[in-house]
Amino acid sequence: MSQSTSSRSTWSNRWAFILVTIGSAVGLGNIWKFSYIAGASEGSVGIFVVVYLACVALIGLPLLMAEILIGRRGRGNPVVAMLNTARESGNSPWWALLGWVGIFGALMILSFYSVVSGWMVDYFWHSLVEGVQVGTPEAAVAAYDELMSNPLRLSFWHTIFMILATGVVARGVIGGIETANKIMLPLLFLILVLLTLWGAAVGDMPTALRFMFNLKVEAIKPGVVLDGMGHAFFSLSLGMGAIMAYGSYLDKRTSIGNTCVWIVVAGVFIGLLCGAAIFSLTFGFDLTPDTGPGLMLKTLPLAFTHMPGGRVFATLFFLFVIFAAWTSAISLLEPFVSWLTERYGIRRARAAWATALPVWLLGVAVCLSFNDWSEYRIFDRNLFGVLDHLATRFIMPLSGLAIAIYVGWRLGKVIVVDEIRLKQRAFTLWFNVLRYVVPVGISLVFLYELGGTALLIYVVPAGILLVFFIIKQVLRDWLK
């Protein structure tokens, strides 16, 4: 195992880090959530996709680089990394609270993420053992509802998935996390390519591509624009401490900028390829793409039932989703596990299982919120909805906003330049985008969540003026 100067484990090479970070970023957000949000955009899918791609470049990439920068400079779990960099730059140690926000946000997400992943394990198992047997839309909905109404079945698959994720983290950085991603990511990509080719052969790929990339100016709506912006943030696992924790194992020789470009391009490519595969099957079998979060479990089983080789490809598809969810769940568990091992000297295996237990218990409560506890609601949401909304709509954007402010305004340019090591023009562009565009973009999403469309009447013009100011400053720097 390679070591850093502080005797801290590091990834075996640059590509290992790229793989594990892609594994963290490519999860249910890129597959399940991208497909159903795009499918529900009602004629605005092209706008959603374009906004998503633009925001990945303008918000996701700069923030990804900033999180990795903090992790590598701080050489510790998110709490320690924030504390170390704050001390080095002469900032308040209270910035370490940002590390805690990310850690507990990650564990909160994992509690319901594991439940949703358990649904995929259930469908994979039934596809493997019995085959897909849903001949009508009513049968597909009934199969989905039957799963949701069974707390023991939900809890069982949630437990299986938590064991899978915890077992990998317990084996360590190199032997567990890196090895698992080296195996699962190539398999994930291979399965996705096969599914896309099969979708093109038996489905309707031209219609799927037109659906995804057909731009209609009249379809631009505040909700669609902000959905694209919010999903770009969610799909890269930002603001949860996971990327910061992975960055702490990155050696000093690796270029953060070049590495992050690979990560973002791969994540976007896999997300779009998966959308093309899903929508080609959806349209090829005359199904509707606007069935909401249940798109994969209510719509796709119908396509698999009626397509040649459907049982094989249903099994491969759900295996693909499980791999994607598995690699992301590992990254959600790692930040707190690394804190326990570094703070108290607890053996990694014990720390992993100790962390997983309360997360598993909260996940069981999430399972019950779909059935036995469904009458208990907060703001008209069950426990699943509350945790999802709180984590992805509040904790993640606020954490990302704080990271952008910390690196862009508080950390100090000398430290940032030393870690990023980009050419002057590239650095100036990235640094200005991080300081101005990222906070404005995240604030738009957050304010929209709080106050709705009315706030945009005041915020958008100010944001546009700020963007023009940034462009002016960047051009001035380049022309010097």
Side-chain angles (χ1 to χ4, degrees):
M1 182 184 298
S2 56
Q3 300 291 326
S4 70
T5 56
S6 60
S7 298
R8 182 175 176 79
S9 298
T10 60
W11 306 113
S12 59
N13 53 57
R14 174 193 177 205
W15 289 105
F17 173 70
I18 290 174
L19 280 178
V20 298
T21 311
I22 292 173
S24 174
V26 177
L28 291 178
N30 296 72
I31 304 168
W32 165 65
K33 201 166 186 178
F34 174 85
S35 300
Y36 88 71
I37 292 178
S41 296
E42 299 179 356
S44 309
V45 182
I47 299 299
F48 166 79
V49 172
V50 168
V51 171
Y52 163 68
L53 295 176
C55 290
V56 163
L58 293 176
I59 296 177
L61 178 59
L63 200 54
L64 181 70
M65 293 170 64
E67 283 207 44
I68 293 173
L69 182 158
I70 296 171
R72 185 167 75 175
R73 189 74 178 191
R75 306 307 287 176
N77 61 77
V79 176
V80 170
M82 288 299 304
L83 187 60
N84 287 345
T85 55
R87 286 172 175 167
E88 182 184 3
S89 57
N91 285 295
S92 169
W94 285 102
W95 279 103
L97 289 176
L98 182 57
W100 280 116
V101 171
I103 284 176
F104 283 110
L107 295 179
M108 182 186 299
I109 292 171
L110 181 58
S111 68
F112 65 82
Y113 192 92
S114 177
V115 173
V116 177
S117 302
W119 305 349
M120 309 305 164
V121 181
D122 179 276
Y123 272 70
F124 164 74
W125 176 255
H126 285 284
S127 298
L128 181 66
V129 175
E130 302 171 357
V132 183
Q133 299 175 356
V134 285
T136 64
E138 293 75 17
V141 172
Y144 176 79
D145 290 342
E146 181 184 356
L147 173 62
M148 294 298 105
S149 65
N150 191 327
L152 290 178
R153 187 171 156 192
L154 288 175
S155 298
F156 174 76
W157 293 117
H158 156 61
T159 302
I160 294 297
F161 186 82
M162 279 298 300
I163 291 172
L164 291 174
T166 308
V168 171
V169 176
R171 290 182 60 84
V173 175
I174 307 298
I177 300 173
E178 182 179 316
T179 301
N181 279 274
K182 281 182 175 179
I183 295 172
M184 285 189 282
L185 258 296
L187 287 175
L188 184 153
F189 182 73
L190 176 62
I191 294 171
L192 179 57
V193 169
L194 289 174
L195 287 169
T196 305
L197 293 174
W198 193 245
V202 303
D204 190 348
M205 186 63 75
T207 301
L209 295 178
R210 285 195 299 271
F211 176 74
M212 291 176 63
F213 298 104
N214 185 22
L215 299 178
K216 298 179 180 178
V217 177
E218 65 273 15
I220 299 177
K221 305 171 187 175
V224 174
V225 172
L226 293 172
D227 275 343
M229 191 180 298
H231 184 65
F233 192 82
F234 178 79
S235 65
L236 289 174
S237 297
L238 299 172
M240 299 182 294
I243 300 299
M244 205 180 293
Y246 279 4
S248 70
Y249 303 118
L250 183 64
D251 67 80
K252 288 287 186 180
R253 297 167 297 177
T254 300
S255 167
I256 291 178
N258 292 339
T259 301
C260 287
V261 168
W262 277 101
I263 293 166
V264 168
V265 169
V268 169
F269 179 70
I270 290 175
L272 293 177
L273 201 61
C274 188
I278 290 174
F279 290 129
S280 65
L281 295 175
T282 301
F283 290 116
F285 291 90
D286 297 321
L287 304 172
T288 57
D290 57 351
T291 54
L295 173 65
M296 285 203 307
L297 302 183
K298 293 179 181 178
T299 300
L300 287 183
L302 282 170
F304 290 133
T305 298
H306 297 291
M307 66 187 282
R311 178 174 180 175
V312 173
F313 280 90
T315 304
L316 285 176
F317 175 79
F318 288 114
L319 181 63
F320 158 71
V321 177
I322 291 168
F323 280 166
W326 194 356
T327 54
S328 294
I330 290 167
S331 71
L332 294 174
L333 198 58
E334 172 62 18
F336 191 68
V337 172
S338 64
W339 179 82
L340 283 178
T341 58
E342 292 167 17
R343 178 67 177 81
Y344 295 106
I346 301 174
R347 286 185 302 151
R348 172 169 277 270
R350 182 175 297 178
W353 294 108
T355 302
L357 180 59
V359 175
W360 172 78
L361 287 172
L362 183 58
V364 171
V366 171
C367 293
L368 292 170
S369 73
F370 289 103
N371 36 75
D372 292 352
W373 293 358
S374 59
E375 69 272 18
Y376 301 110
R377 307 183 78 80
I378 302 174
F379 300 114
D380 202 32
R381 290 186 174 90
N382 62 5
L383 180 60
F384 173 85
V386 169
L387 293 176
D388 183 18
H389 193 77
L390 181 61
T392 61
R393 298 296 187 178
F394 288 91
I395 292 178
M396 289 174 64
L398 287 178
S399 178
L401 178 61
I403 289 170
I405 293 172
Y406 179 68
V407 175
W409 296 95
R410 303 296 302 169
L411 189 56
K413 198 169 182 179
V414 173
I415 294 174
V416 176
V417 169
D418 182 54
E419 284 296 324
I420 292 295
R421 296 198 295 273
L422 292 173
K423 293 182 179 179
Q424 184 177 352
R425 289 185 178 181
F427 176 84
T428 300
L429 177 61
W430 168 79
F431 198 52
N432 281 309
V433 168
L434 182 70
R435 299 179 90 190
Y436 302 106
V437 177
V438 172
V440 169
I442 295 174
S443 297
L444 284 174
V445 177
F446 187 65
L447 290 173
Y448 182 75
E449 285 296 320
L450 287 179
T453 309
L455 280 173
L456 297 182
I457 297 174
Y458 306 99
V459 176
V460 169
I464 293 172
L465 290 175
L466 184 56
V467 169
F468 276 115
F469 170 77
I470 295 167
I471 293 173
K472 179 182 175 182
Q473 292 297 112
V474 171
L475 289 175
R476 179 181 296 175
D477 289 337
W478 280 4
L479 293 174
K480 283 183 178 179

